[in-house]
């Protein structure tokens, strides 16, 4: 197999001299929640949004922006998607879209999300079968477990008492499993039959603040990886926020966080009626090419054995059209939640029923 990734990735040409590895398609539904006394929760606390799933219904997301309320300030209306968290010392934080209703907000994307692990965990905890006191096994991910695993465990293990939307919680975390970010998406792609039986898979996870790659062999072992601390959709949004065409219309520099929100709403800036869609390509093209040039440089020695590029993460929808129809590329449906779906463990004894296509 020979793969030639040219510098102009928008005209990527892939030449295959061997028959593509046989693909399989999973014929199963999402894993059912384990029937145990202890609750299981998968949590993907990203820079753009906080994703969580307990195996029931669909995963949920909360915008990863917050406002710390002064003691004398009443909170605006809180919701499940914009929860109000009150700690034991009466400190209050309002998360989600409702945080934009205050004068100033704090964006996770410009902070260290590992330091906020406990707060993000509280924001994503909902009552379980009407109860707010229970034990929990937690599955989380981080870009670099070797650096952050101990810090995450120290914040998340043990007993937690707080209020969420006025409801007192007492949660005991018995176990914290920490996975490489992006590998949950890989596991989920396997369940969907998107990973070939042979060769290497390059996982490209494009997030809000970071983007990363993992080179995974057919046995699921990570044999190389690269984590970029910057370069996610926030960097793209920041570039757009300084464009004079947008700044002049607003009368001030645009907020990159609001630009990020606009990526999912017709590239419009809040409710101002302003859009950067006509000139988005001027910024999107170099951002896109920069990512794939880095991938090429990182994995050049392995390219002849790569049988799949798996593109995932909350920012991947920005490049979906560019990759459509390319044989070696697979984009997971609903990529925003792919990692958290894969983090949730399959119930013990459940086997994947695979059909060959």
């Amino acid at each position: 197999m020979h793969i030639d990734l040219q510098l102009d990735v928008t005209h990527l040409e892939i030449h295959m001299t061997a028959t593509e590895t046989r693909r399989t398609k999973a014929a199963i539904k999402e894993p059912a929640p384990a029937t145990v006394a202890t609750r299981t929760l998968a949590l993907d606390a990203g820079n753009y949004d906080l994703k969580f799933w307990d195996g029931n219904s669909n995963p949920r997301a909360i915008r990863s922006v917050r406002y710390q309320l002064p003691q004398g300030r009443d909170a605006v209306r809180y919701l499940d998607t914009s929860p109000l968290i009150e700690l034991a010392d009466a400190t209050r934080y309002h998360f989600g879209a409702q945080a934009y209703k205050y004068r100033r907000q704090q964006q996770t994307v410009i902070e260290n999300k590992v330091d906020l692990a406990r707060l993000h965990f509280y924001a994503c905890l909902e009552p379980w079968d009407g109860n707010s006191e229970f034990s929990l096994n937690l599955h989380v991910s981080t870009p670099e477990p070797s650096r952050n695993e101990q810090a995450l465990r120290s914040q998340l293990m043990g007993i937690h008492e707080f209020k969420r939307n006025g409801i007192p919680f007492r949660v005991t975390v018995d176990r914290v499993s920490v996975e490489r970010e992006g590998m949950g998406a890989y596991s989920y792609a396997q369940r969907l039959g998107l990973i070939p039986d042979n060769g290497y898979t390059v996982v490209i996870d494009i997030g809000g603040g970071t983007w990363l790659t993992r080179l995974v062999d057919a046995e699921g072992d990570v044999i190389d990886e690269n984590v970029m601390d910057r370069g996610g959709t926030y960097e793209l949004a920041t570039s757009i926020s300084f464009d004079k065409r947008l700044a002049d219309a607003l009368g001030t520099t645009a907020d990159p966080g609001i630009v990020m929100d606009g990526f999912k709403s017709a590239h419009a800036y809040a409710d101002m009626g302003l859009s950067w869609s006509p000139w988005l390509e001027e910024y999107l093209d170099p951002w896109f090419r920069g990512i794939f040039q880095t991938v090429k440089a990182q994995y050049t020695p392995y390219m002849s054995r790569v049988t799949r590029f798996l593109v995932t993460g909350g920012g991947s929808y920005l490049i979906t059209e560019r990759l459509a129809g390319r044989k070696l590329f697979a984009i997971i449906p609903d990529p925003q939640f792919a990692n958290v779906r894969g983090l949730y463990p399959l119930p013990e004894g459940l086997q994947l029923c695979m059909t060959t296509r």
Side-chain angles (χ1 to χ4, degrees), residues 136 170 277 308 325:
L136 184 70
R170 191 177 193 274
S277 181
R308 180 69 76 240

Side-chain angles (χ1 to χ4, degrees), residues 114 117-118 138-140 142 145 147-160 173-179:
V114 174
R118 186 183 289 111
L138 191 59
H139 296 264
V140 301
T142 183
R147 291 177 54 186
N148 301 322
E149 182 171 358
Q150 186 56 44
L152 288 171
R153 289 184 184 278
S154 65
Q155 289 191 61
L156 298 174
M157 286 288 292
I159 299 174
H160 301 268
V173 177
D174 295 322
R175 181 164 57 91
V176 177
S177 298
V178 182
E179 178 62 90

Side-chain angles (χ1 to χ4, degrees), residues 26-40:
I28 64 167
K29 296 181 179 180
E30 292 288 357
T35 55
V36 292
T38 299
R39 184 182 186 185
T40 298

Side-chain angles (χ1 to χ4, degrees), residues 245-323:
R245 287 166 289 191
L246 184 58
D248 288 349
L250 288 171
T252 185
T253 303
D255 183 337
I258 297 178
V259 174
M260 285 179 71
D261 292 339
F263 287 152
K264 294 186 176 181
S265 58
H267 299 291
Y269 192 83
D271 54 1
M272 305 284 293
L274 303 174
S275 175
W276 55 89
S277 181
W279 40 271
L280 170 64
E281 191 65 22
E282 298 175 30
Y283 291 94
L284 186 61
D285 184 67
W287 176 75
F288 167 83
R289 286 191 291 113
I291 290 175
F292 280 90
Q293 287 168 9
T294 303
V295 172
K296 176 189 175 183
Q298 176 78 11
Y299 300 124
T300 295
Y302 305 99
M303 280 300 176
S304 62
R305 300 186 61 184
V306 172
T307 54
R308 180 69 76 240
F309 292 91
L310 181 69
V311 183
T312 185
S316 60
Y317 64 93
L318 288 166
I319 60 175
T320 300
E321 293 182 2
R322 293 170 179 261
L323 302 178

Side-chain angles (χ1 to χ4, degrees), residues 19 176 346:
T19 303
V176 177
L346 285 170

